[in-house]
Amino acid sequence: ELGSDEAKSQVSQIASELSQVFSLTSDWHGDVLKFRGSGVTGEVAVADDSIEFNVKLGFALFMMEAPLRSAINNALDAHLHR
């Protein structure tokens, strides 16, 4: 169990990496990181024992769902399963 502070730190690093690849901007609202980019919006809710991602893709990015999902999963694995 990471705890919310460490989880937020890891999520911030993941968001930074993904923002470079997918041109996203993000900012924290309490324990929720909200992000947006061209054709994508979402949020990451961090708790002591969980991290929940919600991503909404616009029609133009719908075909990019698999690469986006893969990038998010790879980033999570790299940061959270050390």
Side-chain angles (χ1 to χ4, degrees), residues 1-2 6-20 51 53 71-82:
E1 190 172 301
L2 288 176
E6 179 61 20
K8 283 175 75 171
S9 175
Q10 296 296 323
V11 167
S12 289
Q13 290 179 24
I14 293 167
S16 177
E17 292 172 14
L18 293 175
S19 71
Q20 294 174 18
I51 298 173
F53 275 80
I72 291 169
N73 286 334
N74 288 341
L76 285 170
D77 285 345
H79 285 273
L80 302 178
H81 294 131
R82 294 179 186 183

Side-chain angles (χ1 to χ4, degrees), residues 17-81:
E17 292 172 14
L18 293 175
S19 71
Q20 294 174 18
V21 175
F22 297 107
S23 300
L24 303 174
T25 60
S26 61
D27 53 296
W28 284 99
H29 297 266
D31 289 336
V32 178
L33 179 73
K34 296 189 178 205
F35 60 89
R36 65 206 136 295
S38 181
V40 62
T41 60
E43 60 185 36
V44 183
V46 176
D48 285 336
D49 60 352
S50 65
I51 298 173
E52 182 177 325
F53 275 80
N54 290 302
V55 180
K56 296 178 186 171
L57 300 176
F59 183 74
L61 286 182
F62 183 72
M63 297 301 288
M64 293 290 295
E65 179 183 2
L68 286 167
R69 182 182 304 271
S70 177
I72 291 169
N73 286 334
N74 288 341
L76 285 170
D77 285 345
H79 285 273
L80 302 178
H81 294 131

